[in-house]
Amino acid sequence: MDVIVGGGIVGLSIAWRLARSGRPVTVVDPAPASGASHAAAGMLAPVSEVTYTETPLLRLGMASLRRWPSFAAELAEDAGWAERPAASDGETPVADAGGRGARAGASDGPAAGPSGGPGVGPSGGPGVGPSGGPGVGPSGGLEIGEGPRRGLDLRADGTLDVAFGADDLAALDELAAYMDKLGLPVERLTGRECRRLEPMLAPSVRGGLLAPEDAWVDPRRVTAALLVALDRLGVPLVRARAAGLLRDADGKVVGVRLEPSREPSEIRAERVVLAAGAWSAELADVPVRPVKGQIMRLRSPQPLLSRCVRGTVHGSYVYLVPRGDGELVVGATQEELGFDTRVTAGGLYELLRDARELVPGVSELEVADVVAGLRPGTPDNLPIIGPSGTPGLTLATGHYRGGVLLAPLTAALVLADSGSSGSSGGSGDVGGLGGLGGLGGLGGDEGELAALCSPGRFREIS
């Protein structure tokens, strides 16, 4: 049996894929779906979030983005949401979406070639092929079915990255040149063209970049669907804190020890998968730290924007993510304050100040929710996925801003490590990576992806 420590979008996705493949699995988390995944905006935006030093993260993000349509379609089917109408008024379609306890075990926040894997652009960087791959249409964009769109609010209408001042615009132009070298699909726009796409943008917006293939999803609906799907598959969910790892005389991990007041006090396992997000370092020697992010949700009778908008306002970044029911997510701060999850007046002020500069109409919206989550950061901003080097322990943590985006790929990598073919009967080989039996057997692009996030890169400093 596999024990998954962590009930955020990453841990639940892993458990779901393993259970679908026929492996016995148990999830351990005191408050599933209540941590970083609950706070996250849900941007699936590897292109618009690319930076000069994070090309490996871009490759991982593009590979996982291509898996999202099939992942979402199968999840909606397993949860019984394929034909269910979307929820209204910002509510999750099911009641049991987890609490909001601060002790959540989840991670969260962010090129495909003709064969469906990460390809290479004209200059040697990750590029985007013209077609092919699961869930990818002939023009390279994602094809999303009605079930995932309505049930999970999965949308692929692109991200508009805009600049407010002259310095911001210059920085955006430099980024556009870098994206061009990588062969990424972006369009440079004038301020007028930006406002034509999004009429609610401020007149002071100077210009922008459109990443037409970026997408987004509602993480709260995804984790709610995962909890329903796991329940339907008979997966036990132990609502308790994992206080430590059990080891045998040879040092192999053979289970988890639960908080002292819990009965039973331990769970034995053939393998433990550590997906505890910002709390992973409490259970294993991994270089993961908490990075606080404050976020707010606003509500209006009608959607204010039709796509994600990211903006640079005097050097500060802010994003606005629309939901199908009129909700607008505004985020997020980045604060190195340990495990502090307080929502502060200063943090919310900064978010509203910058958002209002880009979209003045946000000041008229109702405040629906404010929350602070803890992203699991790593020294190189890449996730840590794969065998830990300690027998019996697999790592799936450190996703920083990209837990939602990378959940399908992470589940596939862990499933491959389990020795399961991962065949789910669906298209696109989303459940596994080419049906290969383990990470050591991965070939081509898949093996390269596994190497990028391998825990081995930190062994010399652990």
Side-chain angles (χ1 to χ4, degrees), residues 4-18 25-27 37 105-107 226 230 273-276 396 399 407 410-411:
I4 314 300
V5 179
I9 194 168
V10 169
L12 295 176
S13 296
I14 293 169
W16 172 57
R17 282 304 189 195
L18 290 173
V25 60
T26 295
V27 177
S37 300
S107 62
L226 284 165
L230 288 171
V273 179
L274 183 57
H399 292 75
T410 301

Side-chain angles (χ1 to χ4, degrees), residues 49 157 403 430:
E49 293 195 351
D157 298 318
V430 192

